[in-house]
Structures are given as structure tokens and as C-alpha cells.
Amino acid sequence: MSCFSAFKSFLPTRARNPATMADQTQATSHVHDANPGSFTEPNFHCGDIGESKAFSTIEDWEKEVPGKPPSYSGPLFRPDVAKTIEEELESLSDELRELSLKIHDHPELGYEEKYAHDTLTAFMRDHGFDVTPHYLGLETAWRAAVEVGQGGRTVGFQSEMDALPGIGHACGHNLIAIIGVGCAIAVARAIKKHDIAAKVVLLGTPAEEGGQGKVKLVDAGGYKEMDACLMAHPSVGPPRSAGTGSTLAIQALTIQYFGHTAHAAGAPWEGKNALDAAFLAYSAISVLRQQIKPTHRVHGIIEGRDWAPNVIPDYAKCEWLIRAPTWTEVQVLHDRVKKCFEAAALATDCRMEWSEQVGTYDVRQNSSLADEFTRVSERFGIDATLLTNAPVGGSTDFGNVSYELPSLHPMFAIPTEAGAGLHTPLFRKAAATKEAHGAAVQIAKALAITGARILIDDNFMAEASSTRLL
């Protein structure tokens, strides 16, 4: 997400009742661009929690009383496997910290993550994985896999790698990368130790911040081998908190108006004003907003080319985004928005060219996976209900993955300074702290144990296959 969290307010904690999770939503935000060849400034902006109380500093975390230490008795499924996963992640922690800082200190834009690609693939190869670099035709995508026995199920994890222009890893993708790495290695070692027939696959997914890397991998069949897919994303929030809610679906539009130049004072009647068309479309959408739902968003900008005040503009370009809680709602709103642009072209006698990016879908968190993650997280002192009630405010290409197979994409809090929301230099600083690393390792434990249950519990897999958080 990621640039994942995009909250406008923080709502009170709801009771810890997994049965209510299908009613919960969380806010996320990612950026995407259709062209892998040229990364541009992201235009699917992340937000953050607007209330200062939603941030938590390192001092806040130190004041909090940690949860009970892990216990492997009671309802935890296969406590022996869970204990192995926890021990493996603890043993990997120092290596993961070093790996995280390497990526953090070498920020790379979407589809340019060559250092991250080479560093992560080498790390996975050194830890016994079969590695496929430059996966499915994407230069900086990669796949790492371990299989034990035959005929078992496959769990997938994700490592994002890309950074933001000018501000580096201000979305914490260095932490996302090591969570995926840690989960994959720990689960792989657990299935080997306990002789469980299964496969673990880790995908390195490029260009989340502008290139829809996961969408391209979906289209290329990169997820077909998986029975479920999991990842996690850092954000701001109260100490030791996490959440498992949905996101907004999004559609990116590019509209160009072509008119005819003329002298703005001498013979304006000879011109066709492309800027007028863009202005009329902008105004029409502003009026449209009164008649759309509060959960829908339409926002955009106007760009020019060689404009001068004494020349009728013959060209104007509009970049717009449509967001809504579901892809179906985006499609309905899309048709209404398009009429605004068509009407403006008609009124100004300008020619219009319309193009749109492949849609990015809302995340369908799997309710069975979310329930299990929430339950397991509590054992590590993490309240995975705290950040689930915030209103939706952003988007992620993982949404398209969640339409393909049972999926889970929680976000979790790391300590920051007030005002250090996602996509800020302060969040970049926070993503490199040892406290953020500690939070990431704890989340990785809960995520990996949840993923391992997919591999070894037939009833749980059947339940996850038949349920989704819509």
C-alpha cells in the first residue's frame, strides 16, 4: 500500500472479535503508472493519519506495556511449526536488518530497482532458494522458491523494492522487502524441519510506486501457482498496532484537447481554445462532485504546452483519477466523468483524445486469513484491530492480486515523529530505525505463521478459498 496508509482520522478500537472483520476497512494508498519504460512522478498520492494522536513516537512505544510473550499452547494451530518460524525469524533478524538498510540507502525508482533486484536475489540464493531473475519479462522482477516433497500447496509472499522520486524510501518498501524475505525463509525452513510437503514462493514485485508491477505479473501468470498470497506494509499509528481492511479501487485517465491557435487580441474568433475545454471539464467535474457518494473521489490536474497569455492555447492535457470503494463503483463513476470531458470538447469545438490505464482494484482481504492474522498477532503483543476502522483513502496494485486468489495485505505501525506520514522525508527516516525493524520482524512472525497454516491445514485452506473480505 505501498505508500499504504491514507487515513484522515483515527477511529476508536472495536472489540477484538474476528467475526466482525468482514465489516472492517482500513486506509491504504499506492501509486501506479502504465508505462514500465519511463517512471514519472507518482500521481496516486498516499496520505496519512491527519490527527496528531494517530502518530506514535519511539517514546510512546517505550511507555506502552508490551503484550504477553508468545505462548504455544491453546488454540494455536501446529504450535511446533509456529515456534520454528518464530525462532528462524529471530535468528535472521540481524541479517534482515542489514539487508533493509542496504535497500534503504540505495533508493531506486520503479522498473529501475537493479541494485535491489541483485541484492535480494543473491540473498535468497544464499539461503537455499531457487531464484529466477528478471521474472516474466520484467527486468527487475524476480522469483525465489523452495519446495519440499510433492503434491503440497503453495503459499506466496511479496517483496516490494521501489522508492519515491526525491525522497527515497519514504514509503518503507525496504521493510516490505525484508518482511517478504523473512517470511519466505522462515516458512521454508519450517516445512523442511517438520517434513511438510509444500512450496514457498517469494516474488520481488517492481514499480508499485508508479508502474503497476503486480498487475503486469498477474497478467503474465505470476500468481497462478499460488494458493494464497500475503504481504504487509508499514504506516503510522498507535504503538504495536496493525489492521486488515480494504482499499479504494482506482482508474487513471489522460485526456488531451486539441484546438487551434490565434492571436488572443487580434483575432480570437479564429481560435479554438483547448484550455477552455480543460477548464469546462474541470468545472463540470466540480459540479458532479455534489451528486457523487462521499466515499468516491475524482481529482486531477491540467497541464499546458507553450502557453502564452496573448495566444489562444491549442493544446491542453488533463490527468485525472477516479477512486471508489469497489471496482464496480469506479466503472459506474467512470462513465459519468467521461461525459464531462466529452461535453467540454463539444462546447469548445476541440478534438478530444481519451486514454485510460488498466484499473487498479480494491483489495479483497480474505476474511479467514485476516481472522487468523489478527489472532496470531495478539500473541506477539500486536493489536491488529486498531488500524482497521480508519476510512479508506488510497489504492494499491495488490488489489488486482486479491481478485485472483485468497490474499492478505495488513498494514502495521512503526514509530515516527508527528507529521511523519507516508511519502515524507520523516517517514523515510523512520523506516530505517531499529524500532521500525523490530516492528517489521514481529509482523513477519504473525504473517508467516498465518501463511504456514495455508500449507498444513486442509480445513483452513478450504475456508479461505470460499471466503473473501469484500
Side-chain angles (χ1 to χ4, degrees):
M1 166 226 182
S2 244
C3 53
F4 192 73
S5 174
F7 306 109
K8 300 303 179 186
S9 62
F10 182 74
L11 303 182
T13 307
R14 64 192 300 178
R16 294 185 183 182
N17 180 2
T20 66
M21 303 230 7
D23 300 325
Q24 299 171 340
T25 57
Q26 82 184 27
T28 63
S29 181
H30 285 222
V31 295
H32 318 282
D33 183 89
N35 183 2
S38 60
F39 184 92
T40 58
E41 180 75 22
N43 57 5
F44 292 14
H45 293 298
C46 283
D48 50 43
I49 302 179
E51 306 273 346
S52 61
K53 64 183 178 181
F55 294 91
S56 58
T57 65
I58 292 174
E59 289 74 20
D60 293 331
W61 284 56
E62 291 173 346
K63 292 175 186 176
E64 284 285 315
V65 178
K68 296 180 180 179
S71 171
Y72 299 100
S73 61
L76 192 65
F77 187 81
R78 286 296 298 269
D80 56 335
V81 174
K83 189 172 189 296
T84 298
I85 288 171
E86 186 201 358
E87 290 172 348
E88 292 295 344
L89 278 163
E90 285 294 334
S91 71
L92 285 165
S93 180
D94 289 346
E95 290 182 79
L96 294 175
R97 171 78 170 143
E98 182 180 356
L99 184 63
S100 172
L101 292 179
K102 284 181 179 179
I103 296 170
H104 185 276
D105 295 343
H106 292 83
E108 298 167 300
L109 301 183
Y111 295 112
E112 298 175 9
E113 310 99 327
K114 295 180 181 179
Y115 176 85
H117 172 281
D118 294 347
T119 301
L120 289 164
T121 53
F123 190 91
M124 297 307 294
R125 193 177 290 111
D126 289 344
H127 286 78
F129 278 67
D130 294 325
V131 175
T132 306
H134 319 303
Y135 190 49
L136 295 177
L138 297 179
E139 184 65 21
T140 54
W142 51 273
R143 174 186 179 273
V146 161
E147 186 170 14
V148 174
Q150 294 181 340
R153 285 187 287 273
T154 300
V155 66
F157 297 102
Q158 306 274 273
S159 287
E160 293 179 358
M161 303 169 287
D162 56 324
L164 291 157
I167 53 176
H169 278 290
C171 204
H173 287 194
N174 58 302
L175 297 176
I176 298 174
I178 65 160
I179 289 171
V181 167
C183 285
I185 294 174
V187 174
R189 290 178 177 177
I191 63 174
K192 286 181 179 179
K193 178 177 179 178
H194 298 281
D195 196 24
I196 298 166
K199 184 193 294 185
V200 178
V201 174
L202 174 63
L203 288 186
T205 58
E208 193 284 322
E209 301 281 8
Q212 290 189 309
K214 296 182 193 64
V215 178
K216 297 181 187 302
L217 289 171
V218 167
D219 292 343
Y223 295 87
K224 289 187 180 299
E225 66 181 317
M226 299 179 190
D227 291 286
C229 189
L230 304 87
M231 65 172 290
H233 197 298
S235 184
V236 298
R240 300 176 183 86
S241 60
T244 55
S246 187
T247 66
L248 293 176
I250 189 167
Q251 175 75 73
L253 310 172
T254 299
I255 302 92
Q256 299 179 86
Y257 289 113
F258 299 88
H260 183 72
T261 58
H263 195 290
W269 54 85
E270 294 180 358
K272 295 180 181 179
N273 196 320
L275 178 57
D276 279 352
F279 172 77
L280 283 175
Y282 194 102
S283 300
I285 291 172
S286 295
V287 174
L288 174 66
R289 288 194 184 100
Q290 186 179 17
Q291 274 70 50
I292 66 176
K293 295 180 179 180
T295 53
H296 294 178
R297 299 286 185 269
V298 186
H299 43 100
I301 59 171
I302 299 171
E303 301 175 357
R305 182 176 64 197
D306 300 328
W307 284 353
N310 60 343
V311 178
I312 300 295
D314 66 345
Y315 176 80
K317 180 181 178 181
C318 307
E319 299 279 359
W320 283 81
L321 303 174
I322 303 172
R323 304 187 199 239
T326 67
W327 178 243
T328 299
E329 291 174 89
V330 166
Q331 290 175 301
V332 172
L333 187 56
H334 166 281
D335 294 341
R336 299 177 69 186
V337 168
K338 188 172 185 178
K339 291 177 181 177
C340 294
F341 287 98
E342 291 172 337
L346 181 64
T348 58
D349 198 24
C350 289
R351 179 171 61 86
M352 183 187 83
E353 289 188 5
W354 173 280
S355 62
E356 53 190 60
Q357 185 177 300
V358 174
T360 300
Y361 302 159
D362 48 299
V363 169
R364 291 179 169 180
Q365 301 275 23
N366 184 278
S367 59
S368 296
L369 296 178
D371 290 353
E372 180 71 358
F373 173 79
T374 299
R375 187 172 67 88
V376 175
S377 293
E378 191 175 45
R379 305 178 75 86
F380 295 102
I382 302 163
D383 189 336
T385 68
L386 275 176
L387 299 185
T388 301
N389 284 327
V392 174
S395 312
T396 166
D397 59 357
F398 191 80
N400 296 58
V401 177
S402 75
Y403 269 63
E404 298 295 316
L405 72 164
S407 301
L408 185 67
H409 191 327
M411 64 84 154
F412 65 97
I414 64 172
T416 61
E417 300 177 40
L422 288 159
H423 289 203
T424 66
L426 287 175
F427 196 87
R428 175 190 64 204
K429 177 182 175 183
T433 63
K434 65 179 186 298
E435 291 80 10
H437 175 75
V441 171
Q442 293 298 92
I443 284 293
K445 293 175 184 176
L447 199 69
I449 292 170
T450 302
R453 188 168 182 183
I454 282 287
L455 300 177
I456 56 184
D457 185 347
D458 294 341
N459 292 334
F460 183 64
M461 182 68 243
E463 179 185 324
S465 297
S466 62
T467 59
R468 280 177 173 162
L469 180 63
L470 301 177

